[in-house]
């Protein structure tokens, strides 16, 4: 074929193509009518109507098509009012709803967001298009902050946080906030980069990264993201939690802090720490001024740079200073000196240290102590806590032996709560021993092991001896008193003689007598059945006695008139001898049980016998 002929063929083909593209008169495509819009959420059922909602009639023959890439794919038929599914992806999710004019699509997915076509043959109507729009709320957005931190001296933008919203449809919009104020793109200051991933389900996962240049004031800033999306019910939004980002900046000053705050005293747990206005905190050293040389000397701190004084002592008082070294800038900063004062009370002494006095004489006690604060003194009796006086001097006049024992001097600092020290002193009153008890009674059981105790006081301190054999132990509640405990076996001889303890010192002796009383053995408690039988027998005896009295009354032997009691007619020789005795050998507990039925009370001297005198 020659070149001119080839050019002609090419031009002919091009003309044909142009014709098809431009359309031939009489063959123009009819414009697609505006489709009905149907909205549905993922997982729900969408209702597709064949015609406007106002359309009515008997749709007995209808074909439904899916429009895919300008192709019409048959998916459902209605013939004589009955539905027939076509093989394909919609085979198991289509059904007729209410009337044959409505097609129900169940378990809607994002892939169903398409155009559907309804062609009604009976009645014959214009083709009807339905556009299905699908929606799905995203999950709660998650946010991940930059945990490495951002240095304010860096000029480039650094990643602040990443926000992720999963499984939404269509793609939600993301907004970033700092301290509840929205962030916008700003050159060299704020940049937001968002991307999305299409999951196999057709849902979208949105990822948004916020980058910014931060300043020192952003050290406590709260960042969060917000997802905006639409559902058939309207517009909605979801917010992430708030996060903070570590912001690093150099220190400008350093200072010293002491805990606890307020007046300190010996024994407190005191912590000294250094702080700066930078982040992170630099390396610190803590120095204390040596009072003898006037030089600042470094103190030993723990791994956290803290100086712990536990317990605090008075020698910890002094001037302290912190120094910091910023490794980024290599700048050294020093704090102002801080004076630490540990209040104390020490060296409490009572004079005389071992006071002794004769009974009836006078005694003066003096208390001294050291402190950096004004002191107050109180005197207490150790055994009772009784306040005897205030001031550094305690005067005891005309002392008696009861005044012997231990006394407390309490030296305290009123302006520092809890700061006090005490000193104990024992006052000895010369005299022979005196016993806590002159005589004691102890109830015992024979052949039992018994602990007998004896207490005596005196000055000089007495010793205690026993008149019976046994294992004895002693202890001293105070320097004037001794308590002896004797472990013995209760024998008939011990019951007869009792026991004596004798306290002796260089000025005399005294004795306590311990009388042993044998406890009576109680009989074994009778069973409830025996008690019930006893009650029944007593009741029968009373019934028989009552019957006898009634018999005498009926026979006229026992006249009872309105005037009251009458004398029973008896033979003269025995009238004065007629006494009826009802005697019980029951224990007092059982008698109480018997008398409880009528409420009678027995006199304390009653020994269990009861007499009914019928002579009067």
């Amino acid at each position: 074929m020659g070149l001119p002929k080839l050019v002609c063929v090419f031009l002919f083909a091009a003309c044909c193509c142009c014709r098809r593209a431009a359309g031939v008169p009489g063959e123009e495509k009819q414009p697609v009518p505006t489709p009905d819009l149907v909205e549905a959420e993922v997982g729900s059922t969408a209702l597709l109507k064949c015609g406007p909602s106002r359309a009515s009639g008997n749709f007995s023959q209808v074909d439904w098509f899916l429009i895919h890439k300008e192709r019409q794919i048959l998916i459902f038929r209605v013939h004589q009012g009955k539905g027939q599914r076509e093989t394909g992806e919609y085979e198991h999710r289509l059904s007729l709803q209410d009337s044959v004019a409505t097609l129900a699509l169940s378990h809607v997915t994002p892939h169903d967001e398409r155009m559907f076509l309804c062609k009604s043959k009976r009645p014959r109507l214009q083709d009807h298009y339905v556009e299905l729009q699908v929606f799905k709320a995203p999950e709660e957005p998650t946010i991940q902050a930059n945990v490495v931190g951002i240095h304010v001296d860096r000029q480039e933008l650094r990643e602040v946080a990443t926000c992720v919203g999963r499984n939404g449809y269509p793609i939600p919009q993301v907004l970033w906030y700092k301290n509840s104020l929205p962030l916008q793109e700003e050159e060299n200051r704020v940049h937001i980069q968002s991307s999305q991933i299409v999951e196999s389900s057709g849902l979208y996962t949105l990822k948004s990264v916020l980058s910014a240049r931060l300043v020192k004031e952003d050290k406590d800033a709260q960042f969060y993201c917000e997802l905006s999306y639409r559902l058939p019910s309207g517009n909605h939004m979801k917010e992430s939690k708030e996060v903070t980002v570590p912001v690093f900046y150099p220190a400008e000053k350093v200072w010293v802090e002491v805990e606890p705050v307020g007046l300190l005293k010996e024994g407190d747990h005191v912590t000294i720490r250094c702080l700066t206005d930078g982040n992170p905190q630099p390396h610190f050293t803590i120095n204390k001024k040596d009072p003898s040389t006037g030089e600042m000397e470094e103190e030993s701190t723990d791994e956290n740079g803290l100086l712990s004084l536990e317990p605090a002592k008075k020698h910890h008082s002094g001037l302290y200073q912190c120094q910091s070294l910023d490794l980024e800038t290599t700048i050294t900063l020093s704090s102002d000196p801080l004076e630490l004062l540990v209040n104390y009370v020490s060296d409490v002494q009572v004079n005389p240290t071992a006071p002794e006095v004769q009974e009836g004489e006078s005694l003066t006690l003096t208390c001294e102590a050291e402190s950096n604060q004004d002191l107050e003194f109180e005197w207490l009796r150790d055994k009772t806590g009784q306040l005897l006086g205030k001031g550094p001097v305690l005067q005891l006049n005309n002392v008696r032996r009861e005044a012997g024992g231990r006394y407390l001097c309490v030296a305290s600092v009123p302006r520092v709560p809890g700061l006090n020290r005490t000193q104990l002193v024992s006052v000895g009153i010369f005299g022979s021993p005196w016993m806590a008890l002159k005589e004691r009674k102890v109830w015992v059981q024979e052949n039992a092991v018994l602990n007998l105790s004896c207490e005596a006081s005196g000055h000089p301190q007495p010793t205690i001896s026993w008149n019976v054999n046994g294992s004895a132990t002693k202890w001293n509640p105070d320097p004037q008193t001794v308590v002896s405990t004797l472990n013995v076996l209760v024998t008939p001889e011990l019951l007869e003689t009792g026991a004596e303890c004798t306290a002796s010192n260089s000025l005399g002796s005294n004795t306590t007598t311990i009388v042993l009383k044998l406890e009576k053995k109680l009989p074994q408690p009778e069973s409830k059945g025996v008690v019930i039988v006893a009650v029944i027998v007593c009741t029968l005896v009373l019934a028989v006695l009552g019957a006898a009295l009634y018999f005498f009354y009926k026979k006229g032997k026992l006249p009872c008139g309105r005037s009251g009691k009458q004398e029973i007619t008896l033979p003269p020789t025995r009238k004065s001898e007629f006494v009826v005795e009802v005697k019980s050998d029951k224990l007092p507990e059982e008698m109480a049980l018997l008398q409880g039925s009528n409420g009678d009370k027995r006199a304390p001297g009653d020994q269990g016998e009861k007499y009914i005198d019928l002579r009067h």
Side-chain angles (χ1 to χ4, degrees):
M1 182 181 298
L3 181 59
K5 189 174 182 180
L6 180 60
V7 171
C8 290
V9 172
F10 174 77
L11 292 175
F12 176 79
C15 289
C16 291
C17 291
C18 292
R19 241 180 111 196
R20 283 199 298 269
V24 179
E27 295 184 4
E28 291 86 355
K29 288 186 178 180
Q30 297 296 325
V32 176
T34 302
D36 279 352
L37 186 62
V38 175
E39 297 180 337
E41 289 192 50
V42 170
S44 66
T45 298
L47 300 180
L48 311 178
K49 294 186 177 182
C50 187
S53 57
R54 63 183 182 275
S56 61
N58 183 14
F59 290 80
S60 60
Q61 189 171 346
V62 176
D63 290 340
W64 281 93
F65 297 89
L66 168 67
I67 307 300
H68 180 64
K69 295 182 179 179
E70 298 186 356
R71 291 177 53 223
Q72 298 180 3
I73 303 173
L74 182 63
I75 57 175
F76 198 85
R77 289 177 179 272
V78 179
H79 184 68
Q80 294 182 353
K82 293 183 179 180
Q84 178 182 347
R85 299 182 181 91
E86 295 294 322
T87 304
E89 61 175 307
Y90 289 102
E91 180 178 357
H92 302 291
R93 294 196 290 142
L94 294 176
S95 61
L96 292 179
Q97 181 78 17
D98 297 334
S99 68
V100 294
T102 303
L103 185 65
L105 172 60
S106 63
H107 303 97
V108 171
T109 72
H111 301 295
D112 296 327
E113 190 169 82
R114 295 170 171 175
M115 187 78 73
F116 297 87
L117 171 61
C118 169
K119 292 186 176 183
S120 175
K121 298 179 180 179
R122 289 185 183 177
R124 179 168 295 279
L125 298 174
Q126 184 180 2
D127 291 352
H128 185 74
Y129 289 85
V130 178
E131 182 181 354
L132 179 60
Q133 289 188 351
V134 179
F135 300 89
K136 168 70 168 59
E139 299 174 5
E140 295 288 338
T142 60
I143 187 171
Q144 181 64 51
N146 179 350
V147 296
V148 177
I150 299 175
H151 205 287
V152 298
D153 288 345
R154 304 292 186 267
Q155 296 299 316
E156 68 274 11
L157 299 181
R158 300 295 299 275
E159 180 179 317
V160 175
T162 300
C163 178
V164 177
R166 302 183 184 278
N167 298 322
Y169 194 89
I171 303 171
Q173 299 295 318
V174 62
L175 292 175
W176 282 95
Y177 291 84
K178 181 179 77 171
N179 296 331
S180 301
L181 298 176
L183 291 173
Q184 304 292 338
E185 285 274 353
E186 183 179 349
E187 188 176 359
N188 297 326
R189 298 295 300 177
V190 178
H191 176 61
I192 299 173
Q193 183 177 2
S194 299
S195 60
Q196 59 272 348
I197 299 174
V198 182
E199 307 290 349
S200 59
S201 61
L203 301 176
Y204 291 103
T205 292
L206 174 68
K207 178 180 179 182
S208 181
V209 178
L210 171 66
S211 299
R213 283 182 58 193
L214 301 185
V215 295
K216 180 179 178 180
E217 289 70 27
D218 293 326
K219 60 185 179 65
D220 298 318
Q222 301 282 334
F223 296 91
Y224 67 94
C225 62
E226 174 188 283
L227 297 182
S228 299
Y229 57 94
R230 196 176 80 81
L231 297 177
S233 58
N235 294 323
H236 301 269
M237 53 83 74
K238 289 183 178 180
E239 294 179 348
S240 72
K241 66 179 183 179
E242 295 180 330
V243 296
T244 59
V245 179
V247 179
F248 303 134
Y249 44 88
E252 297 178 358
K253 62 180 180 177
V254 60
W255 64 92
V256 187
E257 281 192 356
V258 177
E259 292 182 355
V261 178
L263 294 173
L264 304 177
K265 62 181 182 296
E266 279 194 321
D268 286 345
H269 180 193
V270 179
T271 301
I272 301 177
R273 62 162 48 90
C274 300
L275 292 173
T276 71
D277 58 351
N279 188 37
Q281 294 292 299
H283 175 72
F284 294 106
T285 57
I286 301 178
N287 303 315
K288 181 187 176 187
K289 185 176 182 180
D290 188 331
S292 59
T293 64
E295 299 293 329
M296 301 297 292
E297 297 182 355
E298 185 175 344
E299 296 287 313
S300 297
T301 59
D302 61 15
E303 63 275 8
N304 298 317
L306 301 179
L307 176 59
S308 296
L309 311 178
E310 184 182 9
K313 299 292 185 182
K314 65 179 181 179
H315 67 264
H316 290 137
S317 297
L319 286 177
Y320 290 83
Q321 187 179 42
C322 285
Q323 283 189 334
S324 69
L325 174 61
D326 193 316
L327 299 180
E328 286 278 341
T329 61
T330 66
I331 295 176
T332 300
L333 298 175
S334 298
S335 70
D336 294 332
L338 173 73
E339 183 174 6
L340 182 72
L341 178 61
V342 179
N343 297 286
Y344 65 92
V345 176
S346 63
D347 300 329
V348 182
Q349 293 183 347
V350 176
N351 293 310
T353 57
E356 296 176 323
V357 65
Q358 295 288 343
E359 191 171 10
E361 295 181 351
S362 298
L363 177 65
T364 301
L365 300 176
T366 303
C367 188
E368 298 176 348
E370 290 186 4
S371 177
N372 63 319
Q373 301 284 354
D374 294 334
L375 286 171
E376 287 188 358
F377 295 90
E378 290 183 341
W379 293 91
L380 305 175
R381 193 66 192 266
D382 180 48
K383 183 179 292 185
T384 62
Q386 177 187 3
L387 177 64
L388 302 176
K390 294 186 176 183
V393 178
L394 176 66
Q395 183 68 39
L396 302 176
N397 297 316
N398 191 22
V399 296
R400 299 298 176 189
R401 65 170 57 195
E402 293 83 359
R406 296 191 296 190
Y407 291 75
L408 280 175
C409 169
V410 181
S412 61
V413 177
R415 67 185 303 264
V416 183
L419 179 55
N420 61 74
R421 293 290 185 270
T422 62
Q423 180 61 47
L424 192 67
V425 63
S426 181
V427 175
I429 310 297
F430 288 107
S432 59
W434 59 290
M435 316 301 290
L437 291 173
K438 193 65 179 175
E439 182 178 287
R440 291 179 57 200
K441 289 184 179 180
V442 179
W443 293 93
V444 299
Q445 291 184 358
E446 193 171 359
N447 297 324
V449 177
L450 180 66
N451 286 329
L452 301 177
S453 64
C454 184
E455 180 179 344
S457 298
H459 184 72
Q461 187 183 76
T463 59
I464 293 180
S465 60
W466 295 85
N467 70 333
V468 293
N469 294 327
S471 175
T473 58
K474 72 170 185 176
W475 64 285
N476 304 104
D478 59 62
Q480 316 295 324
T481 305
V482 61
V483 177
S484 178
T485 301
L486 182 69
N487 187 268
V488 294
L489 177 67
V490 179
T491 63
E493 293 78 9
L494 184 61
L495 287 170
E496 183 177 352
T497 61
E500 287 185 353
C501 70
T502 300
S504 305
N505 66 6
S506 59
L507 300 178
S509 63
N510 213 334
T511 301
T512 292
T513 301
I514 300 176
V515 179
L516 305 181
K517 293 288 187 179
L518 188 63
E519 292 181 356
K520 293 182 180 181
K521 291 186 178 180
L522 297 176
Q524 294 295 326
E526 299 182 11
S527 67
K528 293 182 179 179
V530 175
V531 175
I532 294 174
V533 170
V535 173
I536 294 174
V537 170
C538 292
T539 303
L540 292 176
V541 170
L542 293 176
V544 171
L545 180 59
L549 294 175
Y550 182 73
F551 175 75
F552 284 128
Y553 170 73
K554 295 297 288 184
K555 292 296 185 179
K557 302 294 184 180
L558 186 63
C560 293
R562 295 184 181 180
S563 60
K565 299 180 182 179
Q566 298 292 331
E567 186 178 358
I568 300 176
T569 304
L570 293 174
T573 58
R574 303 195 52 194
K575 181 180 298 185
S576 62
E577 300 174 5
F578 186 67
V579 177
V580 179
E581 177 182 354
V582 180
K583 184 176 182 181
S584 172
D585 59 353
K586 299 294 182 182
L587 292 175
E589 291 84 357
E590 297 181 12
M591 291 304 298
L593 178 61
L594 293 175
Q595 74 180 11
S597 61
N598 56 21
D600 293 339
K601 297 182 179 178
R602 178 161 307 171
D606 197 338
Q607 299 300 316
E609 298 180 359
K610 185 174 183 181
Y611 295 88
I612 301 177
D613 190 351
L614 302 180
R615 292 176 293 178
H616 300 288

